[in-house]
């Protein structure tokens, strides 16, 4: 479903080549998805398959922010629903059943991720409570990348219209 663009970045490997002792060039390839779909989360993909929540075209202004906002809301809903379910099981004194259902060590803010969860880190409350901290050089690199993508996007639009 997703269209992709590629960008390459030449790097030099810091390990020395055993034959000549010189640096070995390496190349990284990045794949940027322009269009993505977001699905609801499910604990059982067969009995309760996920449904499409939304589709996002990252080439459109605001789409990336909408995606992250919706992803955060879906994660928050999953965290709340899962923790309420665990609390009701535990409060009934069925600790053995709770351990089977939860399938994870007890920990504050940690719940069992859904079967279609992309990254377990999404389902830790602490990861949604703070802003991402970047060093000034990391922020500058991201800002330069973003400006480059905006320039490329505006050039594509001009070529399509002209």
């Amino acid at each position: 479903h997703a269209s992709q663009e590629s960008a390459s970045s030449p790097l030099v490997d810091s390990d020395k080549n055993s034959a000549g002792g010189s640096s070995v060039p390496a190349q990284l390839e990045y794949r940027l998805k322009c269009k993505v779909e977001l699905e609801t989360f499910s604990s059982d993909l067969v009995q309760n398959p996920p449904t499409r929540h939304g589709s996002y075209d990252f080439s459109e202004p605001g789409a990336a922010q909408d995606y992250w906002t919706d992803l955060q809301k879906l994660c928050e809903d999953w965290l709340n629903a899962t923790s309420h379910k665990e609390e009701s099981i535990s409060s009934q004194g069925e600790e053995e059943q709770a351990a089977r259902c939860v399938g994870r060590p007890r920990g504050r803010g940690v719940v069992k991720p859904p079967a279609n969860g992309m990254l377990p880190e999404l389902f830790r409350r602490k990861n949604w409570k703070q802003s991402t901290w970047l060093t000034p050089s990391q922020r500058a690199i991201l800002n330069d990348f973003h400006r480059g993508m905006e320039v490329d996007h505006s050039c594509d639009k001009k070529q399509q219209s002209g």
Side-chain angles (χ1 to χ4, degrees):
H1 301 292
S3 65
Q4 298 180 349
E5 297 176 15
S6 296
S8 296
S9 172
L11 294 177
V12 176
D13 190 354
S14 61
D15 293 337
K16 297 291 180 186
N17 180 325
S18 60
S22 63
S23 295
V24 178
Q27 182 121 1
L28 293 177
E29 183 173 301
Y30 302 96
R31 295 197 184 271
L32 303 175
K33 290 188 176 187
C34 289
K35 296 180 181 179
V36 296
E37 291 184 0
L38 188 59
E39 295 181 336
T40 58
F41 297 123
S42 174
S43 58
D44 187 333
L45 299 177
V46 175
Q47 291 182 353
N48 186 19
T51 59
R52 187 170 148 210
H53 177 77
S55 183
Y56 308 86
D57 182 352
F58 288 162
S59 65
E60 297 296 322
Q65 183 61 43
D66 292 344
Y67 172 82
W68 282 112
T69 301
D70 289 352
L71 178 61
Q72 182 175 13
K73 177 75 172 114
L74 286 172
C75 289
E76 184 178 319
D77 291 347
W78 177 264
L79 289 167
N80 291 336
T82 306
S83 21
H84 290 310
K85 186 186 299 182
E86 291 171 7
E87 287 172 11
S88 68
I89 291 172
S90 299
S91 67
Q92 296 170 2
E94 300 172 354
E95 294 176 16
E96 204 172 302
Q97 181 183 356
R100 274 198 315 269
C101 290
V102 176
R104 61 159 177 83
R106 288 281 181 204
R108 191 173 163 184
V110 178
V111 298
K112 182 179 180 185
N116 63 328
M118 298 168 272
L119 298 169
E121 291 79 8
L122 291 174
F123 305 98
R124 295 179 185 256
R125 288 188 191 277
K126 69 176 186 163
N127 291 340
W128 289 108
K129 298 211 184 259
Q130 300 177 18
S131 298
T132 304
W133 185 84
L134 299 172
T135 66
S137 62
Q138 289 171 324
R139 178 151 320 268
I141 291 168
L142 287 174
N143 287 340
D144 290 344
F145 175 77
H146 186 260
R147 275 192 290 281
M149 292 300 290
E150 287 177 334
V151 169
D152 290 347
H153 180 64
S154 65
C155 289
D156 290 345
K157 292 245 185 210
K158 287 178 185 175
Q159 288 175 354
Q160 290 174 359
S161 64

